[in-house]
Amino acid sequence: MAKQSLRNRLISIFILTSTVPLLFVGIFLSYNTIRLIRENTRTLTQQNLKQIDDNMNLLLDSYKDLVYQIYTVDDVVGWMESLNEGEDEAVTTNQLRRYMNALLYSKAGIGAITVISDSGRMVTTHTLNAATYENPWLSQFHLDQKTLYDTVSRENDYYIFPTEYATNFAGEDHYLFHIAHRIIDYRDLKKQCGIVIVSLDEDLLHSVLYMEEEEQEGRSCNLLIDQNGRIISGLDESWIGETLSGSSGMQDEKALVDEIRTFLKEREIKSPAQYDVYTFTDRKLEWVIVNAINRLNFWQEVRRSLLIIGAVWLLLLGITIYLLRRQTDKLVSSVHTVTDAMKEAGSGDLSVQIPIEESLPIEIETVANEFNDTLRKLSVSRQKEKEAAQNRQKAELKALEAQINPHFLYNTLDTINWMAIDREEYDISNAINSLAFILRYAISDYDGEVMVRDEVEWLKRYVYLQQYRMKNKFHCDIHVSPEVQDWKIHKLLLQPFVENAILHGFRYAQEEYLLEIVFSQEEGRLKIRITDNGAGFDTSVVDRIMRGEPAPEDEKGHIGLENAILRFDMYTDGRGILKIDSHLGEGTTVEMEFPEADE
């Protein structure tokens, strides 16, 4: 993969971590929202269908009351008896028509009122064509007059005939459904007088199926189907009378729904997949109320909502990326500042420092502070290294000066030694022998390694001379554990510490000074402790010496401690441990711990 800048990576990570979860959340919410909307739609649609059924029954009940006013009136019963007996038929027919004409306009939607006597005499009044006294719908009815009469008069109950084509009048097709009841003579309930049929315009059913605004919006398609699967009302009047293929009208809901979708497809009413079909069955009428919701409109609304949400999300994402770029600009600028300083330092300029500004992020400020501090320490270390090199060079020069004809020096000391023996000055002879040993030990291989046993022997000679010089002012104890006799250490590493203890610590009068040097092994490491009960020195001086800072003029008496500490660190590669503990008037303890040989 190609390398990317920090800014681009942050933006990519942000987009990845925000887009993917939001995508999954959006899919889940969309799916869940659609599911909830469908469930709510199903519930509301079922309630709406139930409400349509209630309204339809209220409508039918209101017209049943009109039928009731006809079949229970004594005058109508009397007129029917006259028709059945053939008495005054013309007068009776006129009286009956006048009565029915008065009722014909009593309620909206009445297309015709028809009575049929038991003798087969039919009287009708209607508004469907110019021939007022002819029945406009019976010739188109699926039952003939006798079968119609027998069907209605068979039971003492309302009989509702579903919508059928009636006639064409004034260029319009008229569709009627009918409410019928046998005419009852309460003096003889079993007596067959005749039947009355009130024919109602299909528009009444259509107005119940559709609210005006719903029909205009075209969001759904409502149908009313009878027990034989015939459409008796719907969106399109031309559908009335058509039968759903293979349907009995009261079959299981799934099969009925499939047939309705097939019907809508055949009528090119959108794609079947675009409709959700719901049904409600009126068990008394054996009619099925159907609602087919146009899912296309629903999906358009959902898509519109999703597009709005997507647009808002993209806007917020753009704003966030803009703000993120603004913030990362500061971060990238800060990183560039740090990297530029690192490049300068890498080129050798250790004086470079990163400016600490308020605009720096906390993390970058921490890095900058650590970088500046590291460079300061590195500069100090380089300066010390330079000074150490200079001191080493001076020491080498001094060593060269000290090497002028060492054999001449040894021979001279040997001559003086024999002169002291001739004069029986044995103390002087011992001092001269010790001095010669010390000089020979120091001059040969000045910076080499020796065994602990050799360094101890040299220390004894050195301490002896110091005791002789100071007239036995102090006592010295040297303890060496047997297991460290063959350990190797650098030559003359202990001399500055011992000399400082003798010359600085034992300079004041005191009853008895004690110098103790202990070589031991602890946890596989060589440990050397140099302890004196001399004058000691202040804690601040100890801290200054351990930090490697040069001594002021008034502290020049601490002989070579700074260089001795530097040599210890160099010889042990910084893996050794050196501690100095000193208190004024109490003495000084120096502890050195060397790394193991295999380290």
Side-chain angles (χ1 to χ4, degrees):
M1 294 177 61
K3 289 188 177 181
Q4 292 182 323
S5 65
L6 176 61
R7 175 198 297 166
N8 291 338
R9 287 192 178 188
L10 289 175
I11 293 175
S12 299
I13 291 172
F14 169 77
I15 294 176
L16 182 64
T17 55
S18 61
T19 302
V20 174
L22 283 177
L23 182 61
F24 282 106
V25 171
I27 293 174
F28 171 77
L29 290 179
S30 299
Y31 172 79
N32 195 50
T33 300
I34 292 172
R35 181 181 60 82
L36 290 176
I37 291 176
R38 281 190 165 182
E39 290 179 356
N40 293 335
T41 301
R42 178 182 293 276
T43 301
L44 293 174
T45 302
Q46 290 294 336
Q47 293 176 354
N48 185 47
L49 293 176
K50 179 64 170 62
Q51 183 64 45
I52 291 175
D53 183 67
D54 292 340
N55 292 340
M56 185 172 61
N57 279 287
L58 287 175
L59 175 72
L60 295 177
D61 288 343
S62 67
Y63 286 95
K64 286 178 182 179
D65 289 340
L66 177 64
V67 176
Y68 177 81
Q69 294 178 27
I70 299 174
Y71 75 77
T72 58
V73 175
D74 290 339
D75 289 341
V76 174
V77 174
W79 292 328
M80 296 306 295
E81 288 180 352
S82 298
L83 291 176
N84 288 330
E85 294 175 359
E87 298 177 354
D88 301 324
E89 289 187 11
V91 175
T92 301
T93 299
N94 288 331
Q95 290 175 338
L96 190 55
R97 278 203 183 97
R98 284 197 298 269
Y99 176 74
M100 291 191 297
N101 278 331
L103 296 175
L104 184 62
Y105 298 97
S106 62
K107 294 177 71 69
I110 301 176
I113 300 177
T114 304
V115 294
I116 301 175
S117 67
D118 187 57
S119 62
R121 184 75 167 86
M122 182 182 66
V123 179
T124 184
T125 181
H126 58 85
T127 61
L128 300 178
N129 58 38
T132 307
Y133 302 132
E134 293 181 2
N135 191 299
W137 56 269
L138 189 55
S139 60
Q140 303 292 334
F141 200 60
H142 70 287
L143 298 177
D144 57 32
Q145 179 176 322
K146 183 178 185 312
T147 305
L148 173 62
Y149 181 85
D150 292 341
T151 301
V152 176
S153 62
R154 186 181 304 122
E155 296 180 3
N156 190 24
D157 198 359
Y158 292 98
Y159 203 98
I160 300 178
F161 294 97
T163 308
E164 294 185 29
Y165 173 76
T167 186
N168 183 286
F169 177 61
E172 292 183 7
D173 290 334
H174 292 269
Y175 295 84
L176 300 177
F177 67 99
H178 314 276
I179 302 176
H181 200 285
R182 61 182 288 261
I183 298 173
I184 300 174
D185 184 355
Y186 285 97
R187 293 168 297 184
D188 185 0
L189 297 178
K190 293 183 179 182
K191 181 180 179 181
Q192 291 291 343
C193 299
I195 63 172
V196 58
I197 305 168
V198 174
S199 302
L200 303 174
D201 198 313
E202 181 272 338
D203 287 342
L204 294 175
L205 296 178
H206 189 280
S207 64
V208 175
L209 288 178
Y210 289 96
M211 300 296 291
E212 182 177 354
E213 57 273 15
E214 290 180 351
E215 188 173 5
Q216 291 176 352
E217 290 178 2
R219 292 179 176 272
S220 62
C221 174
N222 293 342
L223 298 174
L224 187 59
I225 303 172
D226 69 5
Q227 65 271 29
N228 296 316
R230 291 173 56 252
I231 297 176
I232 57 178
S233 184
L235 179 65
D236 192 331
E237 196 176 60
S238 65
W239 298 351
I240 297 174
E242 295 201 33
T243 303
L244 299 177
S245 60
S247 174
S248 63
M250 297 300 292
Q251 62 183 12
D252 64 277
E253 182 179 356
K254 184 178 183 305
L256 180 61
V257 167
D258 291 339
E259 291 184 5
I260 292 171
R261 285 178 175 162
T262 301
F263 175 82
L264 295 177
K265 180 179 180 180
E266 292 173 351
R267 299 307 180 278
E268 297 181 356
I269 305 299
K270 304 298 181 183
S271 169
Q274 301 293 330
Y275 273 84
D276 288 327
V277 178
Y278 305 93
T279 63
F280 181 86
T281 302
D282 187 312
R283 296 299 174 182
K284 184 177 180 181
L285 294 172
E286 295 186 347
W287 290 358
V288 180
I289 305 173
V290 178
N291 175 247
I293 297 177
N294 188 349
R295 195 188 301 173
L296 179 62
N297 293 331
F298 166 75
W299 279 112
Q300 288 176 344
E301 294 177 359
V302 171
R303 191 179 300 109
R304 188 182 302 112
S305 300
L306 292 177
L307 288 175
I308 293 174
I309 294 174
V312 172
W313 179 79
L314 288 176
L315 177 62
L316 294 177
L317 180 63
I319 293 174
T320 305
I321 292 177
Y322 171 75
L323 295 177
L324 185 61
R325 287 181 64 88
R326 288 286 302 274
Q327 293 300 317
T328 53
D329 281 343
K330 297 179 181 179
L331 177 61
V332 171
S333 176
S334 303
V335 172
H336 284 321
T337 301
V338 174
T339 54
D340 291 342
M342 289 181 176
K343 290 178 181 178
E344 292 185 28
S347 64
D349 184 7
L350 299 183
S351 64
V352 64
Q353 294 282 291
I354 300 175
I356 307 300
E357 302 175 354
E358 293 185 358
S359 60
L360 287 179
I362 295 177
E363 295 80 3
I364 301 299
E365 183 177 342
T366 302
V367 173
N369 286 328
E370 291 296 326
F371 176 82
N372 292 340
D373 186 58
T374 300
L375 283 190
R376 282 194 292 268
K377 291 180 179 178
L378 194 57
S379 297
V380 172
S381 176
R382 176 176 284 189
Q383 182 62 30
K384 288 183 178 180
E385 184 179 349
K386 183 178 180 181
E387 293 175 357
Q390 293 174 350
N391 292 335
R392 183 184 294 273
Q393 186 177 13
K394 292 178 181 178
E396 290 175 353
L397 291 174
K398 290 181 180 180
L400 288 174
E401 294 173 359
Q403 289 178 0
I404 299 175
N405 202 353
H407 291 287
F408 170 77
L409 181 60
Y410 298 152
N411 292 334
T412 302
L413 288 175
D414 187 57
T415 301
I416 295 173
N417 178 46
W418 283 109
M419 291 174 63
I421 292 175
D422 289 342
R423 298 182 182 184
E424 297 183 350
E425 296 290 343
Y426 297 109
D427 288 338
I428 295 175
S429 175
N430 290 334
I432 291 173
N433 282 331
S434 296
L435 178 59
F437 177 83
I438 290 172
L439 290 175
R440 187 178 296 110
Y441 183 85
I443 292 174
S444 63
D445 193 13
Y446 170 77
D447 204 23
E449 288 187 336
V450 296
M451 292 185 179
V452 169
R453 64 173 79 252
D454 296 331
E455 185 74 5
V456 170
E457 184 62 28
W458 180 88
L459 277 174
K460 289 179 180 178
R461 300 294 183 96
Y462 177 77
V463 171
Y464 170 76
L465 284 180
Q466 292 290 358
Q467 287 176 323
Y468 186 81
R469 186 177 70 85
M470 298 182 69
K471 300 178 181 180
N472 293 320
K473 187 177 181 180
F474 69 93
H475 177 72
C476 178
D477 290 332
I478 299 177
H479 304 282
V480 183
S481 298
E483 62 269 17
V484 301
Q485 291 279 359
D486 296 328
W487 280 67
K488 288 187 177 182
I489 61 174
H490 279 79
K491 184 187 291 187
L492 301 177
L493 184 61
L494 307 181
Q495 187 270 341
F497 299 101
V498 175
E499 183 177 1
N500 188 77
I502 295 172
L503 298 183
H504 175 73
F506 302 158
R507 62 183 175 177
Y508 300 109
Q510 188 170 320
E511 294 182 359
E512 182 178 3
Y513 283 117
L514 177 63
L515 175 63
E516 183 180 32
I517 305 173
V518 179
F519 293 79
S520 62
Q521 178 177 316
E522 295 184 10
E523 298 180 355
R525 309 183 80 178
L526 173 63
K527 189 171 184 180
I528 302 175
R529 186 177 72 252
I530 304 172
T531 306
D532 70 76
N533 62 347
F537 43 94
D538 191 80
T539 304
S540 62
V541 178
V542 175
D543 294 339
R544 193 266 305 159
I545 292 174
M546 295 304 295
R547 289 195 301 269
E549 297 177 359
E553 290 298 326
D554 58 347
E555 293 184 14
K556 292 297 183 180
H558 305 300
I559 301 174
L561 284 183
E562 293 87 352
N563 288 337
I565 294 172
L566 181 60
R567 286 182 66 206
F568 177 82
D569 286 339
M570 290 172 58
Y571 292 154
T572 61
D573 292 329
R575 294 180 287 120
I577 300 174
L578 189 147
K579 298 179 182 178
I580 299 178
D581 185 24
S582 183
H583 301 280
L584 284 174
E586 298 181 7
T588 302
T589 297
V590 177
E591 290 186 351
M592 288 179 280
E593 186 173 331
F594 294 80
E596 296 182 36
D598 58 354
E599 292 185 16

